Amino acid sequence: MADKTITLTLPDGSEREYSSGVTGLEVAQSIAAGLARAALSVTVNGDIIDLDRPITEDADITINTWDSEDGKYTFWHSSAHLLAEAVQELYPEAKFGIGPPIENGFYYDIDFGDNQISQEDLPKIEKKFIEMARKKSEFERRNVSKDEALSFYKERGNEYKVDLIEDLEDGTITFYEQGNFTDLCRGPHIPSTGDVKAVKLTSLAGAYWRGDSDSKQLTRIYGISFPKQKMLEEHLNRIEEAKKRDHRKLGKELGIYMIDNMVGSGLPMWLPNGTTLRRTLEAFLRDEQKKRGYKEVITPHIANIELYKTSGHYPYYKDSQFNPMEVDDDEYMLKPMNCPHHHRIYSNEMRSYRDLPLRLAEFGSVYRYEQSGELSGLSRVRGFTQDDAHIYCTHDQLKQEIKNTIELTQMVFSTFGMPVDIRLSYRDENDKKYGGNTEYWDRAQTEIREAADEMGLDYTIAPGEASFYGPKIDFIIRDAIGRKWQLGTVQVDYVMPERFDLTYVGSDNEKHRPVIIHRAPFGSMERFTSILIEHFAGDFPLWLSPEQVKILPISDDQIPYAKELETALLNIGVRVSVDERSEQIGGKIRDAETSKTPFMLIVGAKEVEENSVSVRRHKHGDIGTFNFSEFLSDIKEEIDTKALPKD
């Protein structure tokens, strides 16, 4: 009987035929020798597996290298096992809990018994980690029965693994071995420990077993690893750079925002500079929305709980919402989402197909209950403002409206010099949390993919990342030091029109359901501002800077001239002030540099006589003396074009 042939579809859409049982490594070798050398694992129909696992059915596959998220996931998963092996060598009595990969690295929860460790012990463990890695041990997977697995860990007195195994179904349990270390694990893993060339164990923390405060507290060791020593050095440099850019530090220094205990944790107040920055961002997006036919609305900060029950946000998001309050024998809630309010605005009057698409936009404040330990500056708060918009359109209009929202979102991020990765977030077919019927979901997922394809976008697909009412396009930006942040979203929604009984009268005089697109390029003004501060390290583009020009008279004699310049700049919309203090010019310059003001105009007797200005640019120093009218023209052009900061 001839070998069964299977068809494997690669990320570029091309198809290749192989014999059933082919491994990911063999597929990589058939594509390119270099790819095979770099391969760490393979993703088959969304599941990451070892390179030596057989593939027996038609599938979509991706060969994972270090440059992919799934590749890093595999690499860091294997590194967690290496950490455990190193600890086992140094502390034979240690018992291991769980050791997963995380967004940036990995951790392992360990019971050290009487041998409690401290930060000072981490270099010793790092050294042993690299020693284990250099043995180039292969990661070997084997199936074990439940009885065998329980016996293995009971003999070693590891109650944590026994606890995990008792919840597993017999026939689904696997061990992985490398060197002298064996671990209960589903995988996947890289081919060999030798692929790991560098490691940094970053911190220690306490972690209750299974998150239960009544259980024993284990020691959690965090780490990160790389296939090259140079990558680790670059990573450590980025960490130092990130500390300098921390928006919590710069936000205070630049007068952007404050958080006051008397007001409440997670409730930021925007200071004058921050308010100017935020209003400038809002005006930018408002102008763009106006060009594209959006209509702005304003909705209240609280609403009857029945609104959120109808939408499904309550109780779906119940744990992240503030408790309801009693008002006139009804229950009201702080608004957790803007969208239900917009749906009611749509229902305010009968809509015709001639009225669609209807694009409603709002900078709407919402409130979510976040645990106090999760709050962080502007990036994680309890009260924030979303740049929400909801587009109500016909099915025939949907694809073009999706394209329009994608174009707007891309334009927004390109204005800030932020490269964008695009992810199509689909439902997990095995998860029951999603609303609506399967037919609508399939249609929506097809439409966002077709729109992305027709626009020539490079994207990945992420099953299980959809919102509960529809698939979405997520925009993941990279900042100036390479960190990734998920920001804008475009979501297609067939569920809410049903829940709110939204209709329009078609050309056939019959009622039809509209489709809704949810859209928010910034996401939230607070989080986006925190990212902007760190992206630019507080050195904002001229158009966005809270103060754009500081005029520095050398002596009191030049103050009248400085005031004339200030008036001329204010008349063309420039944010400017005069430093009238009786301070030496050097001190005025230092203060303006510290406040990161883009331009400093130094005026002395010579400048007054010649109607000129001596110009300093933040971080660049003196750039020359200019006729004031020439400077006026240049600065207006830079603001109008929203030019990015000069290197």
Side-chain angles (χ1 to χ4, degrees):
M1 182 176 176
D3 289 342
K4 176 185 173 184
T5 299
I6 61 173
T7 300
L8 301 182
T9 304
L10 302 177
D12 64 0
S14 63
E15 296 180 346
R16 294 187 177 217
E17 291 189 345
Y18 296 92
S19 295
S20 176
V22 67
T23 66
L25 181 60
E26 289 168 339
V27 174
Q29 288 168 337
S30 75
I31 297 171
L35 178 61
R37 287 192 297 272
L40 298 172
S41 63
V42 57
T43 299
V44 180
N45 287 339
D47 294 325
I48 315 171
I49 65 173
D50 305 319
L51 281 170
D52 61 0
R53 295 276 301 279
I55 304 169
T56 58
E57 302 291 340
D58 294 349
D60 293 330
I61 75 161
T62 302
I63 305 298
N64 301 319
T65 65
W66 172 259
D67 293 328
S68 69
E69 288 188 12
D70 287 356
K72 287 184 175 71
Y73 177 96
T74 312
F75 192 92
W76 287 331
H77 189 181
S78 301
S79 297
H81 281 230
L82 259 173
L83 168 60
E85 183 181 9
V87 168
Q88 180 180 267
E89 289 287 315
L90 294 169
Y91 307 93
E93 302 304 314
K95 294 184 283 190
F96 301 96
I98 58 170
I102 54 178
E103 185 177 0
N104 280 298
F106 55 89
Y107 69 77
Y108 218 117
D109 289 343
I110 304 168
D111 181 352
F112 282 91
D114 296 331
N115 296 313
Q116 293 305 306
I117 67 166
S118 67
Q119 197 77 21
E120 287 70 34
D121 295 304
L122 296 185
K124 176 177 66 176
I125 301 173
E126 285 176 8
K127 183 178 179 182
K128 182 60 70 173
F129 180 109
I130 292 299
E131 181 185 321
M132 297 294 102
R134 286 174 178 164
K135 291 185 176 182
K136 299 182 179 179
S137 304
E138 293 183 355
F139 285 88
E140 297 180 358
R141 182 179 191 268
R142 65 184 176 94
N143 296 312
V144 294
S145 68
K146 189 167 186 174
D147 285 344
E148 182 184 352
L150 287 169
S151 175
F152 180 87
Y153 281 109
K154 283 178 179 178
E155 287 175 6
R156 287 156 179 78
N158 189 328
E159 63 269 32
Y160 310 108
K161 299 293 187 183
V162 169
D163 187 21
L164 293 173
I165 293 165
E166 285 175 343
D167 290 340
L168 300 177
E169 185 179 343
D170 199 3
T172 67
I173 302 170
T174 54
F175 281 178
Y176 273 83
E177 298 172 352
Q178 93 271 1
N180 294 320
F181 182 71
T182 300
D183 207 353
L184 171 72
C185 182
R186 289 194 302 264
H189 287 287
I190 59 179
S192 163
T193 63
D195 292 326
V196 184
K197 298 294 197 300
V199 66
K200 179 66 178 177
L201 300 181
T202 54
S203 63
L204 295 173
Y208 291 110
W209 175 240
R210 292 203 168 193
D212 182 357
S213 59
D214 293 330
S215 297
K216 184 168 183 177
Q217 189 175 68
L218 308 183
T219 299
R220 176 170 294 179
I221 303 179
Y222 285 97
I224 191 165
S225 58
F226 297 90
K228 294 180 182 178
Q229 180 65 29
K230 183 181 178 183
M231 290 180 175
L232 173 58
E233 292 166 2
E234 291 170 348
H235 171 75
L236 296 176
N237 288 337
R238 281 195 300 273
I239 289 176
E240 288 306 309
E241 181 62 28
K243 290 178 182 176
K244 297 175 191 173
R245 293 168 177 259
D246 190 331
H247 81 275
R248 293 166 297 183
K249 171 178 173 286
L250 289 175
K252 181 177 181 180
E253 292 174 0
L254 300 177
I256 303 297
Y257 75 101
M258 65 176 284
I259 292 177
D260 181 74
N261 289 336
M262 189 173 286
V263 174
S265 299
L267 299 171
M269 293 186 289
W270 296 80
L271 301 175
N273 282 348
T275 301
T276 298
L277 173 64
R278 174 170 160 172
R279 293 300 185 219
T280 304
L281 286 170
E282 291 177 356
F284 162 60
L285 188 55
R286 274 195 176 96
D287 288 346
E288 293 299 332
Q289 289 176 162
K290 189 178 294 184
K291 294 174 190 173
R292 291 165 170 79
Y294 286 82
K295 299 179 185 300
E296 193 162 3
V297 297
I298 298 174
T299 60
H301 292 245
I302 64 170
N304 193 301
I305 197 172
E306 293 303 319
L307 178 68
Y308 307 117
K309 287 181 177 179
T310 300
S311 69
H313 291 106
Y314 189 94
Y316 184 78
Y317 289 117
K318 182 180 178 181
D319 292 341
S320 62
Q321 295 171 2
F322 284 95
N323 290 333
M325 63 188 86
E326 202 169 297
V327 180
D328 296 335
D329 298 326
D330 278 328
E331 284 190 302
Y332 280 69
M333 283 183 57
L334 285 170
K335 177 172 62 172
M337 295 279 184
N338 295 306
C339 38
H341 298 249
H342 292 191
H343 304 334
R344 295 303 297 160
I345 289 174
Y346 178 92
S347 297
N348 185 51
E349 58 185 272
M350 179 62 71
R351 307 288 179 179
S352 160
Y353 72 97
R354 298 180 188 277
D355 300 322
L356 306 183
L358 175 65
R359 307 178 185 98
L360 300 179
E362 176 180 20
F363 288 94
S365 295
V366 297
Y367 303 89
R368 311 263 179 89
Y369 176 71
E370 300 282 359
Q371 298 289 335
S372 58
E374 296 175 340
L375 299 173
S376 179
L378 287 177
S379 62
R380 197 73 180 263
V381 293
R382 288 173 171 161
F384 54 95
T385 300
Q386 294 179 308
D387 57 318
D388 256 340
H390 297 90
I391 302 166
Y392 303 84
C393 61
T394 68
H395 295 272
D396 292 340
Q397 295 166 336
L398 177 62
K399 191 183 293 184
Q400 186 57 49
E401 289 300 311
I402 292 172
K403 290 180 180 180
N404 292 344
T405 56
I406 291 172
E407 181 274 327
L408 171 61
T409 306
Q410 288 180 311
M411 184 280 298
V412 166
F413 294 135
S414 67
T415 300
F416 300 102
M418 295 172 164
V420 179
D421 296 327
I422 293 175
R423 181 178 70 198
L424 307 188
S425 295
Y426 286 4
R427 71 184 291 173
D428 180 347
E429 300 299 335
N430 299 315
D431 197 323
K432 305 302 182 187
K433 72 178 183 181
Y434 303 100
N437 65 53
T438 303
E439 179 187 349
Y440 285 159
W441 271 89
D442 290 343
R443 180 172 179 174
Q445 291 181 173
T446 298
E447 284 160 336
I448 65 172
R449 186 167 191 169
E450 286 178 354
D453 287 339
E454 289 173 17
M455 295 182 74
L457 302 181
D458 185 16
Y459 58 81
T460 58
I461 294 177
E465 294 298 321
S467 64
F468 83 95
Y469 49 76
K472 57 194 175 91
I473 304 171
D474 291 320
F475 296 83
I476 300 154
I477 65 97
R478 279 173 282 133
D479 68 14
I481 57 175
R483 296 172 300 180
K484 291 185 176 182
W485 308 91
Q486 182 182 326
L487 286 175
T489 59
V490 176
Q491 303 176 13
V492 178
D493 178 6
Y494 283 97
V495 175
M496 292 302 150
E498 295 284 341
R499 290 188 180 225
F500 282 90
D501 192 24
L502 304 184
T503 61
Y504 68 91
V505 177
S507 57
D508 57 0
N509 281 328
E510 298 292 328
K511 286 187 176 180
H512 302 272
R513 292 267 185 246
V515 189
I516 302 172
I517 299 173
H518 302 244
R519 182 241 69 187
F522 293 148
S524 88
M525 301 307 297
E526 286 73 11
R527 185 164 178 265
F528 187 69
T529 299
S530 76
I531 292 168
L532 273 187
I533 293 170
E534 298 190 5
H535 176 61
F536 290 116
D539 296 315
F540 300 111
L542 178 63
W543 72 274
L544 194 55
S545 185
E547 183 172 61
Q548 295 163 322
V549 177
K550 178 77 81 173
I551 304 174
L552 312 178
I554 292 176
S555 73
D556 290 352
D557 292 341
Q558 289 86 49
I559 288 178
Y561 178 61
K563 288 290 190 181
E564 290 177 21
L565 303 182
E566 180 185 39
T567 299
L569 286 162
L570 288 170
N571 286 340
I572 64 167
V574 176
R575 297 185 286 273
V576 57
S577 67
V578 177
D579 187 341
E580 299 183 48
R581 297 176 300 162
S582 298
E583 177 81 40
Q584 293 293 320
I585 191 64
K588 292 182 178 181
I589 290 172
R590 282 193 301 274
D591 290 345
E593 285 284 354
T594 300
S595 67
K596 300 182 184 290
T597 304
F599 281 106
M600 289 150 269
L601 304 186
I602 300 168
V603 293
K606 182 181 177 183
E607 284 76 21
V608 174
E609 182 181 342
E610 297 177 351
N611 193 34
S612 64
V613 286
S614 179
V615 182
R616 284 182 64 92
R617 181 128 201 182
H618 176 57
K619 294 174 67 176
H620 293 265
D622 293 321
I623 61 173
T625 299
F626 296 80
N627 179 280
F628 181 62
S629 61
E630 179 186 358
F631 174 78
L632 215 59
S633 174
D634 289 347
I635 194 173
K636 187 175 188 309
E637 180 182 3
E638 185 172 340
I639 291 170
D640 290 347
T641 59
K642 296 182 173 58
L644 290 167
K646 299 176 189 276
D647 292 332

